[in-house]
Amino acid sequence: MDDRNIAVVAIDGPSGSGKGTIAQQLASYLGWHLLDSGALYRLVAVAAQNSAVDLDNEAGLSRVAAGLDVRFVSKADGTEQIFLGQTDVACEVRTEETGKIASNIAAMPQVRVALMELQKRFRKAPGLVADGRDMGSVVFPDAPVKIFLTASPEERARRRHKQLKDKGIDVSLPALSADIAERDLRDTERAVAPLRPAPDAEILDTTDLSIDEVVEQVKKIVARTLADR
Ligand code: DC
């Protein structure tokens, strides 16, 4: 099948906007594939450190990105495994430290180019829910559904804090807020594929909404758009 006939729901937004959870729930509801593109940038960070590639060596990092051997597995109990070769690196991938390095690496144009093909390969029938920063604007510009999730910085820091606490990771809320502000700035101000809504994206502010409410709204947007196709 021509890729362009395979529908993509692009869900973009800043850290803590809820896009990861929403994308996961939507993909499982629709029975579609899921691309967590942030995890790919995080994996480049982990793989580079494993193979002693300097984190400011753009050419070296882009080679790591081009050669990523990754497999995502969702277990029945809801936990995830992320295999780099034969090793499950999910825990390292999800740390705040890896997120910070990923945000730096993601500003490098060669790394973004190197990950482009890999991201496009996730577009498989019956459809793809793609979560990231530039899914609707750069990677899948022809996606029929583009949603940009936002929430106030305070609410996003609070959500991230809870998420980490639930995993037994203790981080102070003010430190997390400062990290989120710094990451927002880097992600929105970088020269290539900066974090911003595609012109045809539907913007949804989730500050005062529960996850279930956001999922319901997103399902409605998807149903409406796909019915019009
Ligand atoms: O969503 P996340 O926190 O897992 O993403 C980690 C970093 O990767 C984020 O700070 C910016 C970068 N990223 C990106 O530049 N483009 C994407 N499509 C996804 C993530």
Side-chain angles (χ1 to χ4, degrees), residues 7-11 19-36 74 122 124-131 147 215 218-219 222:
V8 175
V9 176
I11 303 184
K19 64 194 159 46
T21 312
I22 305 302
Q24 234 171 35
Q25 293 198 10
L26 183 70
S28 117
Y29 166 77
L30 294 168
W32 287 11
H33 299 277
L34 176 68
L35 165 60
D36 172 357
S74 296
F122 281 78
K124 285 189 288 204
L128 175 68
V129 178
D131 139 26
I147 296 167
V215 171
V218 168
K219 280 183 189 168
V222 172

Side-chain angles (χ1 to χ4, degrees), residues 71-174:
R71 196 162 49 89
F72 292 89
V73 177
S74 296
K75 296 210 292 186
D77 64 2
T79 56
E80 64 169 357
Q81 291 177 307
I82 306 176
F83 288 95
L84 200 52
Q86 302 301 313
T87 315
D88 179 6
V89 293
C91 291
E92 288 152 86
V93 163
R94 294 300 171 200
T95 65
E96 287 303 292
E97 180 57 24
T98 302
K100 247 190 255 181
I101 301 171
S103 167
N104 278 317
I105 286 177
M108 299 177 179
Q110 291 182 42
V111 173
R112 302 200 74 85
V113 168
L115 285 181
M116 189 63 113
E117 270 319 301
L118 175 57
Q119 293 177 89
K120 287 185 186 293
R121 284 208 295 274
F122 281 78
R123 187 173 193 167
K124 285 189 288 204
L128 175 68
V129 178
D131 139 26
R133 304 290 191 289
D134 62 343
M135 297 295 97
S137 54
V138 177
V139 182
F140 303 108
D142 64 334
V145 185
K146 297 180 187 177
I147 296 167
F148 193 87
L149 295 181
T150 60
S152 69
E154 298 75 27
E155 174 61 15
R156 291 190 283 118
R158 206 190 52 74
R159 288 178 189 171
R160 189 62 126 211
H161 188 248
K162 180 173 180 312
Q163 214 174 35
L164 291 171
K165 216 168 149 199
D166 289 348
K167 285 190 196 166
I169 304 169
D170 194 20
V171 190
S172 90
L173 187 57

Side-chain angles (χ1 to χ4, degrees), residues 19-79:
K19 64 194 159 46
T21 312
I22 305 302
Q24 234 171 35
Q25 293 198 10
L26 183 70
S28 117
Y29 166 77
L30 294 168
W32 287 11
H33 299 277
L34 176 68
L35 165 60
D36 172 357
S37 61
L40 298 182
Y41 289 93
R42 288 168 178 263
L43 278 160
V44 175
V46 172
Q49 286 168 297
N50 289 349
S51 47
V53 171
D54 282 347
L55 296 174
D56 57 1
N57 173 358
E58 183 169 350
L61 291 168
S62 71
R63 278 192 292 277
V64 170
L68 270 190
D69 172 15
V70 56
R71 196 162 49 89
F72 292 89
V73 177
S74 296
K75 296 210 292 186
D77 64 2
T79 56

